[in-house]
Amino acid sequence: MTTLDPHFAEFLERINAPGLPATFEGSPTEWRARIAAASASSDRAVRTRRITIRERRIGHTLVTVRIYTPSELPRCAPTLVYLHPGGFISGSAALSEGVAVRLAEQTRSIIVSVDYRLAPESPFPAALEDTCAVIEY
């Protein structure tokens, strides 16, 4: 039998709390609020780690990115462009901060997390355009 990671189990409990609608019921705005509420406490200690976090707007679409830089990097540190999950309709760079911090720590890389535009407010190919703008930058 497989055992769930305690942090993931806690997240599932919050997202499936009694009285809340099923994850994919309602509007995209309601989904986003639900995911944000469920994720709020999952990475409480993330900013205590030895990672510098900067936020910038870059590229021709002026997409917001979060740049995670470990305090001790090799001389020629690689850079990884990270796209948060959410099916291009939910999620954000802020909600995926814990993942980005862990990636930076474990890979000793600079992580550029793209806060791409979400559908349906910004239909396809908006998220792709934002990502390409970041990569081209």
Side-chain angles (χ1 to χ4, degrees), residues 16-21 34:
N16 292 310
L20 294 176
R34 183 181 170 101

Side-chain angles (χ1 to χ4, degrees), residues 48-120:
T48 64
R49 300 179 184 201
R50 296 174 52 155
I51 301 289
T52 301
I53 304 170
R54 294 178 293 133
E55 192 168 287
R56 294 184 58 188
R57 294 182 64 118
I58 63 174
H60 67 277
T61 63
L62 293 178
V63 62
T64 301
V65 296
R66 286 185 175 205
I67 303 166
Y68 300 84
T69 308
S71 58
E72 296 177 18
L73 281 177
R75 184 162 187 205
C76 293
T79 298
L80 184 140
V81 176
Y82 175 75
L83 303 179
H84 64 78
F88 303 112
I89 58 168
S90 66
S92 69
L95 288 177
S96 294
E97 185 166 282
V99 173
V101 166
R102 285 188 291 279
L103 275 172
E105 288 178 331
Q106 293 174 11
T107 65
R108 294 179 42 143
S109 301
I110 297 167
I111 307 300
V112 178
S113 182
V114 182
D115 207 13
Y116 55 81
R117 292 172 288 167
L118 302 173

